[in-house]
Amino acid sequence: MTQEQSLIEKVRTLQKSSLTCTVEVFNNTPAEWGIAIVAVGSRFTYQDSQGNVIGTSDDVKPNVAVTSGQSVTTHSSNADECVRSVDTVIVVTAPDEPNPAAYESTASGDAQSCIIYAPMILGPIPGETAVGLRKKSRVELLRLVHGQENS
């Protein structure tokens, strides 16, 4: 085993033995829209180094009230296994909207690393904000993305 392979194996061991995965969902919607995240759930998928699925865990928060500028987190439950993908679903409400709306996003890692932190951002679809409000409901102008794409 080369020194580089040895270091990679040490990092994998550290990742598997001591860290869970955290998803943080940010409500990055304009405050004046009154959008609130009212439920969030994440499914964490664990895989071995060959890419075989070895299990899943869910963290669901059915009753939250996350308004503009706030965030909510979900966490994997098994620090002994490597999270390679996370599927997150949120439910949002808006004033004067008759029904809640659901959004989903997936974070995926590669075969060489575990996902430790996965930010998800709820915000307006770029270019739709001003014009779209006159033609569409607020919830039709939103998206949930992984990473910093929408900030």
Side-chain angles (χ1 to χ4, degrees), residues 10 15 20 57 108 134 137 139:
K10 285 180 184 179
Q15 288 175 330
T20 59
S57 68
S108 298
R134 286 178 259 152
S137 71
V139 295

Side-chain angles (χ1 to χ4, degrees), residues 3-144:
Q3 183 179 8
E4 181 180 340
Q5 289 171 326
S6 176
L7 289 172
I8 289 171
E9 192 58 37
K10 285 180 184 179
V11 168
R12 281 191 194 137
T13 301
L14 173 65
Q15 288 175 330
K16 285 178 64 175
S17 65
S18 64
L19 299 172
T20 59
C21 177
T22 298
V23 172
E24 187 168 13
V25 180
F26 295 91
N27 183 341
N28 195 29
T29 60
E32 62 272 13
W33 288 15
I35 303 292
I37 300 170
V38 296
V40 61
S42 296
R43 169 156 289 170
F44 300 88
T45 301
Y46 306 100
Q47 294 179 350
D48 63 19
S49 59
Q50 285 77 43
N52 301 311
V53 173
I54 55 175
T56 61
S57 68
D58 297 332
D59 186 8
V60 178
K61 295 187 167 123
N63 297 304
V64 296
V66 181
T67 58
S68 180
Q70 297 179 326
S71 67
V72 60
T73 58
T74 58
H75 304 278
S76 62
S77 63
N78 189 346
D80 294 329
E81 300 298 340
C82 182
V83 173
R84 294 282 164 79
S85 70
V86 182
D87 297 306
T88 299
V89 176
I90 64 170
V91 176
V92 304
T93 59
D96 303 322
E97 296 287 339
N99 299 309
Y103 301 90
E104 60 184 277
S105 186
T106 299
S108 298
D110 60 37
Q112 302 300 314
S113 61
C114 303
I115 300 172
I116 304 301
Y117 177 67
M120 304 277 180
I121 302 161
L122 175 71
I125 297 169
E128 287 275 1
T129 307
V131 176
L133 269 178
R134 286 178 259 152
K135 299 177 183 176
K136 301 177 183 175
S137 71
R138 288 170 278 214
V139 295
E140 292 178 294
L141 300 174
L142 299 175
R143 68 178 184 166
L144 179 67

